[in-house]
Amino acid sequence: MKLNGIPLPAVKRLSLYLRQLELLQAGGQKRVSSRQLGESLGVTDAQVRKDFAYFGQFGHPGVGYQVDPLIQRLRHILGTDKVWNVLVVGAGNLGRALLQYKGFVQKGFRLVAAFDADASKAGQFVGGVPVFPMDEMERMALQFHIRLAIIAVPADSAQAVADRLAAIGIQGVLNFAPIPLPPTPTLAVNAVDLAVQLEQLSFQVNLLDQEQPAQ
Amino acid sequence: MKLNGIPLPAVKRLSLYLRQLELLQAGGQKRVSSRQLGESLGVTDAQVRKDFAYFGQFGHPGVGYQVDPLIQRLRHILGTDKVWNVLVVGAGNLGRALLQYKGFVQKGFRLVAAFDADASKAGQFVGGVPVFPMDEMERMALQFHIRLAIIAVPADSAQAVADRLAAIGIQGVLNFAPIPLPPTPTLAVNAVDLAVQLEQLSFQVNLLDQEQPAQ
DNA sequence: GGATGTGAATGCATTCACAGCA
DNA sequence: TGCTGTGAATGCATTCACATCC
């Protein structure tokens, strides 16, 4: 199995396939074809098969894919067949919402501790997760073998937080601060900028208007 | 100016250029080169110039780009040179966090009303935004000329909400529900799945491990 | 010298089309 | 017949390299 040469877009789609398969599984479906799996996601059947092919053989010609084992294999590829403990840095509005979000656990992510620069928040529980002062970060990270963290602090402190997390040995951060955090050879970074998402939508909507002028 | 033939990745980068330029502007910088603009974002100088070229001429050979006018033009292209009023459907944890998020306004997005299936939430204000029962959606949409909405409801009601928004004349939705919402010719969709973002990070971190095995 | 704008060349991702299997 | 897996072909995005201008 080749380790690299995998298109990044394919990895992104893998997550969507998995999500869709979990829906099918919940609906009791046992088998699925590449066509069926793709069309709910706006992806061609060839694309689905090619994406899987980067990682090995998954299906049975003439039959399709068995839902349950396919889910297992995708989870293994994505690394979510075991639980990841995750830190949340920043217990403001966004951080608090993430701490209360129920969708992470069933995907294999457990938010185990939150940190905030405002020491008066220490001792609180948000969504069942304890909030600590910043200087407890290293201790907690080591204790729970943490490798992932979510950054939900203001833009002006995001880089400092990232540096600190890297120093502690964190390997991946999901960055919600609206500022670029450059990845390093030992720190993977994935960014979500909420305002940018709306901005993209704004562009798309303007395009729609130009194609079919307002009625 | 050609209307299409624009790579979607280029549009995404445009938002990041804009964000970076706003940072430079806040720091008092007046001019910037494609190289300087790109390197903070991990993008080559040629890429920056090519991205701009899809939309026209922006700079001065030998000189670079003027920060202020470039910002104006990017905002115009992205459609954020005027304010968009936005609805938020779903006032649970995530919806409430979005309603309190301060980053939207300075980007030209004003969240003007929230809606929740739980009618007992009606009358509340979250982040200064009033919460209404669902059946007020159409009235508010017309009154404020709304074209964009954020979906922050559970997966099982997301499609119904999207259909309703489309019927009301909404043209773009930002979907936070972990389920695919297919776009239509009159409704643009942009999706953010928080768990999927962590999943992608999980994959990337596992890759790092394989390149440089744990110390 | 230092920078943009842009055709040409490259490289990457998607789609096609079909051999092979159930 | 129905469907996967996959080399080949296509198409799209990025990078190169250079003419042009300050």
PDB file of all heavy atoms in Angstrom, chain D residues 1-12:
ATOM      1  P    DT D   1     -27.115  -8.056 -20.674  1.00  0.00           P
ATOM      2  OP1  DT D   1     -27.447  -7.562 -21.969  1.00  0.00           O
ATOM      3  OP2  DT D   1     -25.796  -7.796 -20.114  1.00  0.00           O
ATOM      4  O5'  DT D   1     -28.284  -7.616 -19.652  1.00  0.00           O
ATOM      5  C5'  DT D   1     -28.858  -8.694 -18.844  1.00  0.00           C
ATOM      6  C4'  DT D   1     -28.564  -8.398 -17.386  1.00  0.00           C
ATOM      7  O4'  DT D   1     -27.509  -9.279 -16.912  1.00  0.00           O
ATOM      8  C3'  DT D   1     -28.093  -6.972 -17.113  1.00  0.00           C
ATOM      9  O3'  DT D   1     -28.802  -6.443 -16.004  1.00  0.00           O
ATOM     10  C2'  DT D   1     -26.605  -7.117 -16.795  1.00  0.00           C
ATOM     11  C1'  DT D   1     -26.522  -8.525 -16.225  1.00  0.00           C
ATOM     12  N1   DT D   1     -25.185  -9.155 -16.477  1.00  0.00           N
ATOM     13  C2   DT D   1     -24.511  -9.749 -15.429  1.00  0.00           C
ATOM     14  O2   DT D   1     -24.944  -9.774 -14.295  1.00  0.00           O
ATOM     15  N3   DT D   1     -23.300 -10.307 -15.773  1.00  0.00           N
ATOM     16  C4   DT D   1     -22.711 -10.335 -17.015  1.00  0.00           C
ATOM     17  O4   DT D   1     -21.622 -10.869 -17.189  1.00  0.00           O
ATOM     18  C5   DT D   1     -23.453  -9.701 -18.058  1.00  0.00           C
ATOM     19  C7   DT D   1     -22.917  -9.664 -19.453  1.00  0.00           C
ATOM     20  C6   DT D   1     -24.649  -9.147 -17.760  1.00  0.00           C
ATOM     21  P    DG D   2     -28.507  -4.987 -15.401  1.00  0.00           P
ATOM     22  OP1  DG D   2     -29.734  -4.504 -14.739  1.00  0.00           O
ATOM     23  OP2  DG D   2     -27.850  -4.206 -16.481  1.00  0.00           O
ATOM     24  O5'  DG D   2     -27.424  -5.281 -14.279  1.00  0.00           O
ATOM     25  C5'  DG D   2     -27.758  -6.067 -13.151  1.00  0.00           C
ATOM     26  C4'  DG D   2     -26.675  -5.858 -12.112  1.00  0.00           C
ATOM     27  O4'  DG D   2     -25.483  -6.577 -12.517  1.00  0.00           O
ATOM     28  C3'  DG D   2     -26.252  -4.397 -11.967  1.00  0.00           C
ATOM     29  O3'  DG D   2     -25.959  -4.146 -10.609  1.00  0.00           O
ATOM     30  C2'  DG D   2     -25.015  -4.302 -12.840  1.00  0.00           C
ATOM     31  C1'  DG D   2     -24.404  -5.682 -12.662  1.00  0.00           C
ATOM     32  N9   DG D   2     -23.608  -6.138 -13.798  1.00  0.00           N
ATOM     33  C8   DG D   2     -23.833  -5.876 -15.127  1.00  0.00           C
ATOM     34  N7   DG D   2     -22.944  -6.425 -15.917  1.00  0.00           N
ATOM     35  C5   DG D   2     -22.083  -7.100 -15.051  1.00  0.00           C
ATOM     36  C6   DG D   2     -20.930  -7.875 -15.320  1.00  0.00           C
ATOM     37  O6   DG D   2     -20.425  -8.133 -16.421  1.00  0.00           O
ATOM     38  N1   DG D   2     -20.359  -8.379 -14.150  1.00  0.00           N
ATOM     39  C2   DG D   2     -20.844  -8.148 -12.888  1.00  0.00           C
ATOM     40  N2   DG D   2     -20.168  -8.701 -11.884  1.00  0.00           N
ATOM     41  N3   DG D   2     -21.935  -7.418 -12.618  1.00  0.00           N
ATOM     42  C4   DG D   2     -22.492  -6.928 -13.746  1.00  0.00           C
ATOM     43  P    DC D   3     -25.710  -2.678 -10.110  1.00  0.00           P
ATOM     44  OP1  DC D   3     -26.538  -2.496  -8.902  1.00  0.00           O
ATOM     45  OP2  DC D   3     -25.818  -1.743 -11.248  1.00  0.00           O
ATOM     46  O5'  DC D   3     -24.192  -2.692  -9.686  1.00  0.00           O
ATOM     47  C5'  DC D   3     -23.734  -3.621  -8.725  1.00  0.00           C
ATOM     48  C4'  DC D   3     -22.247  -3.769  -8.896  1.00  0.00           C
ATOM     49  O4'  DC D   3     -21.969  -4.382 -10.160  1.00  0.00           O
ATOM     50  C3'  DC D   3     -21.518  -2.438  -8.928  1.00  0.00           C
ATOM     51  O3'  DC D   3     -20.834  -2.245  -7.698  1.00  0.00           O
ATOM     52  C2'  DC D   3     -20.523  -2.564 -10.071  1.00  0.00           C
ATOM     53  C1'  DC D   3     -20.651  -4.008 -10.504  1.00  0.00           C
ATOM     54  N1   DC D   3     -20.458  -4.176 -11.951  1.00  0.00           N
ATOM     55  C2   DC D   3     -19.403  -4.950 -12.407  1.00  0.00           C
ATOM     56  O2   DC D   3     -18.655  -5.491 -11.592  1.00  0.00           O
ATOM     57  N3   DC D   3     -19.202  -5.082 -13.752  1.00  0.00           N
ATOM     58  C4   DC D   3     -20.020  -4.481 -14.599  1.00  0.00           C
ATOM     59  N4   DC D   3     -19.784  -4.641 -15.911  1.00  0.00           N
ATOM     60  C5   DC D   3     -21.111  -3.683 -14.160  1.00  0.00           C
ATOM     61  C6   DC D   3     -21.295  -3.552 -12.836  1.00  0.00           C
ATOM     62  P    DT D   4     -19.787  -1.061  -7.458  1.00  0.00           P
ATOM     63  OP1  DT D   4     -20.003  -0.637  -6.075  1.00  0.00           O
ATOM     64  OP2  DT D   4     -19.880  -0.090  -8.556  1.00  0.00           O
ATOM     65  O5'  DT D   4     -18.380  -1.796  -7.558  1.00  0.00           O
ATOM     66  C5'  DT D   4     -18.103  -2.893  -6.700  1.00  0.00           C
ATOM     67  C4'  DT D   4     -16.776  -3.547  -7.088  1.00  0.00           C
ATOM     68  O4'  DT D   4     -16.807  -3.887  -8.490  1.00  0.00           O
ATOM     69  C3'  DT D   4     -15.550  -2.664  -6.879  1.00  0.00           C
ATOM     70  O3'  DT D   4     -14.526  -3.440  -6.258  1.00  0.00           O
ATOM     71  C2'  DT D   4     -15.164  -2.213  -8.281  1.00  0.00           C
ATOM     72  C1'  DT D   4     -15.676  -3.363  -9.149  1.00  0.00           C
ATOM     73  N1   DT D   4     -16.107  -2.968 -10.518  1.00  0.00           N
ATOM     74  C2   DT D   4     -15.465  -3.516 -11.610  1.00  0.00           C
ATOM     75  O2   DT D   4     -14.552  -4.308 -11.506  1.00  0.00           O
ATOM     76  N3   DT D   4     -15.949  -3.095 -12.825  1.00  0.00           N
ATOM     77  C4   DT D   4     -16.985  -2.211 -13.061  1.00  0.00           C
ATOM     78  O4   DT D   4     -17.337  -1.917 -14.204  1.00  0.00           O
ATOM     79  C5   DT D   4     -17.606  -1.674 -11.881  1.00  0.00           C
ATOM     80  C7   DT D   4     -18.744  -0.703 -12.020  1.00  0.00           C
ATOM     81  C6   DT D   4     -17.149  -2.072 -10.676  1.00  0.00           C
ATOM     82  P    DG D   5     -13.241  -2.749  -5.595  1.00  0.00           P
ATOM     83  OP1  DG D   5     -12.717  -3.647  -4.544  1.00  0.00           O
ATOM     84  OP2  DG D   5     -13.562  -1.354  -5.291  1.00  0.00           O
ATOM     85  O5'  DG D   5     -12.223  -2.765  -6.824  1.00  0.00           O
ATOM     86  C5'  DG D   5     -11.710  -3.997  -7.269  1.00  0.00           C
ATOM     87  C4'  DG D   5     -10.732  -3.768  -8.419  1.00  0.00           C
ATOM     88  O4'  DG D   5     -11.472  -3.313  -9.585  1.00  0.00           O
ATOM     89  C3'  DG D   5      -9.664  -2.713  -8.162  1.00  0.00           C
ATOM     90  O3'  DG D   5      -8.454  -3.227  -8.709  1.00  0.00           O
ATOM     91  C2'  DG D   5     -10.175  -1.485  -8.929  1.00  0.00           C
ATOM     92  C1'  DG D   5     -10.879  -2.135 -10.104  1.00  0.00           C
ATOM     93  N9   DG D   5     -11.980  -1.381 -10.696  1.00  0.00           N
ATOM     94  C8   DG D   5     -12.943  -0.655 -10.023  1.00  0.00           C
ATOM     95  N7   DG D   5     -13.824  -0.115 -10.827  1.00  0.00           N
ATOM     96  C5   DG D   5     -13.427  -0.504 -12.099  1.00  0.00           C
ATOM     97  C6   DG D   5     -13.999  -0.223 -13.371  1.00  0.00           C
ATOM     98  O6   DG D   5     -15.005   0.444 -13.622  1.00  0.00           O
ATOM     99  N1   DG D   5     -13.271  -0.819 -14.401  1.00  0.00           N
ATOM    100  C2   DG D   5     -12.153  -1.580 -14.239  1.00  0.00           C
ATOM    101  N2   DG D   5     -11.594  -2.071 -15.335  1.00  0.00           N
ATOM    102  N3   DG D   5     -11.598  -1.859 -13.050  1.00  0.00           N
ATOM    103  C4   DG D   5     -12.293  -1.285 -12.040  1.00  0.00           C
ATOM    104  P    DT D   6      -7.069  -2.483  -8.576  1.00  0.00           P
ATOM    105  OP1  DT D   6      -6.037  -3.531  -8.435  1.00  0.00           O
ATOM    106  OP2  DT D   6      -7.210  -1.406  -7.582  1.00  0.00           O
ATOM    107  O5'  DT D   6      -6.903  -1.810 -10.008  1.00  0.00           O
ATOM    108  C5'  DT D   6      -6.764  -2.617 -11.164  1.00  0.00           C
ATOM    109  C4'  DT D   6      -6.678  -1.710 -12.380  1.00  0.00           C
ATOM    110  O4'  DT D   6      -7.977  -1.169 -12.691  1.00  0.00           O
ATOM    111  C3'  DT D   6      -5.769  -0.493 -12.187  1.00  0.00           C
ATOM    112  O3'  DT D   6      -4.985  -0.344 -13.354  1.00  0.00           O
ATOM    113  C2'  DT D   6      -6.729   0.670 -12.082  1.00  0.00           C
ATOM    114  C1'  DT D   6      -7.818   0.183 -13.019  1.00  0.00           C
ATOM    115  N1   DT D   6      -9.121   0.874 -12.858  1.00  0.00           N
ATOM    116  C2   DT D   6      -9.900   1.065 -13.973  1.00  0.00           C
ATOM    117  O2   DT D   6      -9.581   0.684 -15.083  1.00  0.00           O
ATOM    118  N3   DT D   6     -11.077   1.716 -13.749  1.00  0.00           N
ATOM    119  C4   DT D   6     -11.542   2.194 -12.534  1.00  0.00           C
ATOM    120  O4   DT D   6     -12.618   2.767 -12.446  1.00  0.00           O
ATOM    121  C5   DT D   6     -10.671   1.970 -11.402  1.00  0.00           C
ATOM    122  C7   DT D   6     -11.079   2.438 -10.043  1.00  0.00           C
ATOM    123  C6   DT D   6      -9.517   1.325 -11.620  1.00  0.00           C
ATOM    124  P    DG D   7      -3.401  -0.542 -13.234  1.00  0.00           P
ATOM    125  OP1  DG D   7      -3.093  -1.978 -13.316  1.00  0.00           O
ATOM    126  OP2  DG D   7      -2.957   0.288 -12.091  1.00  0.00           O
ATOM    127  O5'  DG D   7      -2.886   0.160 -14.569  1.00  0.00           O
ATOM    128  C5'  DG D   7      -2.666  -0.634 -15.706  1.00  0.00           C
ATOM    129  C4'  DG D   7      -3.354  -0.002 -16.905  1.00  0.00           C
ATOM    130  O4'  DG D   7      -4.664   0.483 -16.498  1.00  0.00           O
ATOM    131  C3'  DG D   7      -2.607   1.199 -17.484  1.00  0.00           C
ATOM    132  O3'  DG D   7      -2.512   1.014 -18.888  1.00  0.00           O
ATOM    133  C2'  DG D   7      -3.471   2.402 -17.101  1.00  0.00           C
ATOM    134  C1'  DG D   7      -4.863   1.781 -17.013  1.00  0.00           C
ATOM    135  N9   DG D   7      -5.801   2.463 -16.111  1.00  0.00           N
ATOM    136  C8   DG D   7      -5.656   2.668 -14.770  1.00  0.00           C
ATOM    137  N7   DG D   7      -6.672   3.286 -14.222  1.00  0.00           N
ATOM    138  C5   DG D   7      -7.542   3.498 -15.269  1.00  0.00           C
ATOM    139  C6   DG D   7      -8.815   4.130 -15.299  1.00  0.00           C
ATOM    140  O6   DG D   7      -9.457   4.635 -14.370  1.00  0.00           O
ATOM    141  N1   DG D   7      -9.361   4.145 -16.584  1.00  0.00           N
ATOM    142  C2   DG D   7      -8.758   3.620 -17.695  1.00  0.00           C
ATOM    143  N2   DG D   7      -9.425   3.728 -18.839  1.00  0.00           N
ATOM    144  N3   DG D   7      -7.570   3.021 -17.689  1.00  0.00           N
ATOM    145  C4   DG D   7      -7.023   3.003 -16.449  1.00  0.00           C
ATOM    146  P    DA D   8      -1.810   2.089 -19.779  1.00  0.00           P
ATOM    147  OP1  DA D   8      -1.284   1.385 -20.970  1.00  0.00           O
ATOM    148  OP2  DA D   8      -0.929   2.929 -18.922  1.00  0.00           O
ATOM    149  O5'  DA D   8      -3.059   2.981 -20.220  1.00  0.00           O
ATOM    150  C5'  DA D   8      -4.142   2.365 -20.917  1.00  0.00           C
ATOM    151  C4'  DA D   8      -4.972   3.440 -21.570  1.00  0.00           C
ATOM    152  O4'  DA D   8      -5.837   4.044 -20.568  1.00  0.00           O
ATOM    153  C3'  DA D   8      -4.177   4.594 -22.186  1.00  0.00           C
ATOM    154  O3'  DA D   8      -4.850   4.988 -23.379  1.00  0.00           O
ATOM    155  C2'  DA D   8      -4.186   5.655 -21.088  1.00  0.00           C
ATOM    156  C1'  DA D   8      -5.561   5.434 -20.457  1.00  0.00           C
ATOM    157  N9   DA D   8      -5.648   5.767 -19.031  1.00  0.00           N
ATOM    158  C8   DA D   8      -4.727   5.533 -18.053  1.00  0.00           C
ATOM    159  N7   DA D   8      -5.100   5.933 -16.860  1.00  0.00           N
ATOM    160  C5   DA D   8      -6.360   6.457 -17.070  1.00  0.00           C
ATOM    161  C6   DA D   8      -7.302   7.047 -16.197  1.00  0.00           C
ATOM    162  N6   DA D   8      -7.095   7.204 -14.882  1.00  0.00           N
ATOM    163  N1   DA D   8      -8.467   7.464 -16.729  1.00  0.00           N
ATOM    164  C2   DA D   8      -8.674   7.305 -18.039  1.00  0.00           C
ATOM    165  N3   DA D   8      -7.868   6.770 -18.963  1.00  0.00           N
ATOM    166  C4   DA D   8      -6.712   6.364 -18.402  1.00  0.00           C
ATOM    167  P    DA D   9      -4.481   6.353 -24.106  1.00  0.00           P
ATOM    168  OP1  DA D   9      -4.745   6.148 -25.547  1.00  0.00           O
ATOM    169  OP2  DA D   9      -3.153   6.815 -23.637  1.00  0.00           O
ATOM    170  O5'  DA D   9      -5.593   7.340 -23.562  1.00  0.00           O
ATOM    171  C5'  DA D   9      -6.960   7.089 -23.906  1.00  0.00           C
ATOM    172  C4'  DA D   9      -7.802   8.264 -23.475  1.00  0.00           C
ATOM    173  O4'  DA D   9      -7.719   8.417 -22.040  1.00  0.00           O
ATOM    174  C3'  DA D   9      -7.391   9.616 -24.060  1.00  0.00           C
ATOM    175  O3'  DA D   9      -8.587  10.322 -24.368  1.00  0.00           O
ATOM    176  C2'  DA D   9      -6.600  10.268 -22.923  1.00  0.00           C
ATOM    177  C1'  DA D   9      -7.366   9.750 -21.717  1.00  0.00           C
ATOM    178  N9   DA D   9      -6.603   9.693 -20.474  1.00  0.00           N
ATOM    179  C8   DA D   9      -5.317   9.266 -20.298  1.00  0.00           C
ATOM    180  N7   DA D   9      -4.909   9.319 -19.045  1.00  0.00           N
ATOM    181  C5   DA D   9      -6.007   9.806 -18.355  1.00  0.00           C
ATOM    182  C6   DA D   9      -6.235  10.084 -16.999  1.00  0.00           C
ATOM    183  N6   DA D   9      -5.310   9.904 -16.046  1.00  0.00           N
ATOM    184  N1   DA D   9      -7.449  10.563 -16.647  1.00  0.00           N
ATOM    185  C2   DA D   9      -8.375  10.737 -17.603  1.00  0.00           C
ATOM    186  N3   DA D   9      -8.288  10.508 -18.906  1.00  0.00           N
ATOM    187  C4   DA D   9      -7.067  10.044 -19.213  1.00  0.00           C
ATOM    188  P    DT D  10      -8.446  11.668 -25.255  1.00  0.00           P
ATOM    189  OP1  DT D  10      -9.403  11.553 -26.363  1.00  0.00           O
ATOM    190  OP2  DT D  10      -7.011  11.953 -25.480  1.00  0.00           O
ATOM    191  O5'  DT D  10      -9.008  12.764 -24.248  1.00  0.00           O
ATOM    192  C5'  DT D  10     -10.251  12.505 -23.602  1.00  0.00           C
ATOM    193  C4'  DT D  10     -10.302  13.289 -22.319  1.00  0.00           C
ATOM    194  O4'  DT D  10      -9.215  12.911 -21.452  1.00  0.00           O
ATOM    195  C3'  DT D  10     -10.178  14.797 -22.494  1.00  0.00           C
ATOM    196  O3'  DT D  10     -11.463  15.335 -22.258  1.00  0.00           O
ATOM    197  C2'  DT D  10      -9.136  15.220 -21.449  1.00  0.00           C
ATOM    198  C1'  DT D  10      -9.019  13.991 -20.568  1.00  0.00           C
ATOM    199  N1   DT D  10      -7.725  13.749 -19.866  1.00  0.00           N
ATOM    200  C2   DT D  10      -7.703  13.785 -18.480  1.00  0.00           C
ATOM    201  O2   DT D  10      -8.685  14.006 -17.809  1.00  0.00           O
ATOM    202  N3   DT D  10      -6.473  13.528 -17.924  1.00  0.00           N
ATOM    203  C4   DT D  10      -5.301  13.253 -18.590  1.00  0.00           C
ATOM    204  O4   DT D  10      -4.259  13.040 -17.980  1.00  0.00           O
ATOM    205  C5   DT D  10      -5.395  13.230 -20.034  1.00  0.00           C
ATOM    206  C7   DT D  10      -4.176  12.945 -20.846  1.00  0.00           C
ATOM    207  C6   DT D  10      -6.592  13.476 -20.600  1.00  0.00           C
ATOM    208  P    DG D  11     -11.753  16.869 -22.563  1.00  0.00           P
ATOM    209  OP1  DG D  11     -13.192  16.980 -22.923  1.00  0.00           O
ATOM    210  OP2  DG D  11     -10.694  17.374 -23.467  1.00  0.00           O
ATOM    211  O5'  DG D  11     -11.571  17.535 -21.131  1.00  0.00           O
ATOM    212  C5'  DG D  11     -12.155  16.914 -19.990  1.00  0.00           C
ATOM    213  C4'  DG D  11     -11.622  17.596 -18.770  1.00  0.00           C
ATOM    214  O4'  DG D  11     -10.284  17.106 -18.482  1.00  0.00           O
ATOM    215  C3'  DG D  11     -11.489  19.112 -18.923  1.00  0.00           C
ATOM    216  O3'  DG D  11     -12.003  19.667 -17.729  1.00  0.00           O
ATOM    217  C2'  DG D  11      -9.981  19.326 -19.084  1.00  0.00           C
ATOM    218  C1'  DG D  11      -9.451  18.210 -18.198  1.00  0.00           C
ATOM    219  N9   DG D  11      -8.092  17.753 -18.441  1.00  0.00           N
ATOM    220  C8   DG D  11      -7.477  17.512 -19.646  1.00  0.00           C
ATOM    221  N7   DG D  11      -6.244  17.086 -19.511  1.00  0.00           N
ATOM    222  C5   DG D  11      -6.045  17.046 -18.127  1.00  0.00           C
ATOM    223  C6   DG D  11      -4.901  16.657 -17.386  1.00  0.00           C
ATOM    224  O6   DG D  11      -3.803  16.268 -17.799  1.00  0.00           O
ATOM    225  N1   DG D  11      -5.122  16.770 -16.013  1.00  0.00           N
ATOM    226  C2   DG D  11      -6.304  17.199 -15.442  1.00  0.00           C
ATOM    227  N2   DG D  11      -6.337  17.243 -14.117  1.00  0.00           N
ATOM    228  N3   DG D  11      -7.375  17.558 -16.126  1.00  0.00           N
ATOM    229  C4   DG D  11      -7.169  17.453 -17.465  1.00  0.00           C
ATOM    230  P    DC D  12     -12.386  21.189 -17.603  1.00  0.00           P
ATOM    231  OP1  DC D  12     -13.831  21.220 -17.385  1.00  0.00           O
ATOM    232  OP2  DC D  12     -11.727  21.968 -18.678  1.00  0.00           O
ATOM    233  O5'  DC D  12     -11.707  21.582 -16.218  1.00  0.00           O
ATOM    234  C5'  DC D  12     -11.658  20.615 -15.166  1.00  0.00           C
ATOM    235  C4'  DC D  12     -10.503  20.957 -14.272  1.00  0.00           C
ATOM    236  O4'  DC D  12      -9.268  20.430 -14.797  1.00  0.00           O
ATOM    237  C3'  DC D  12     -10.285  22.450 -14.057  1.00  0.00           C
ATOM    238  O3'  DC D  12     -10.210  22.652 -12.669  1.00  0.00           O
ATOM    239  C2'  DC D  12      -8.972  22.735 -14.799  1.00  0.00           C
ATOM    240  C1'  DC D  12      -8.255  21.401 -14.670  1.00  0.00           C
ATOM    241  N1   DC D  12      -7.248  21.079 -15.714  1.00  0.00           N
ATOM    242  C2   DC D  12      -5.980  20.629 -15.321  1.00  0.00           C
ATOM    243  O2   DC D  12      -5.727  20.529 -14.123  1.00  0.00           O
ATOM    244  N3   DC D  12      -5.068  20.304 -16.282  1.00  0.00           N
ATOM    245  C4   DC D  12      -5.392  20.417 -17.568  1.00  0.00           C
ATOM    246  N4   DC D  12      -4.462  20.090 -18.475  1.00  0.00           N
ATOM    247  C5   DC D  12      -6.671  20.878 -17.982  1.00  0.00           C
ATOM    248  C6   DC D  12      -7.575  21.198 -17.035  1.00  0.00           C
TER     249       DC D  12
END
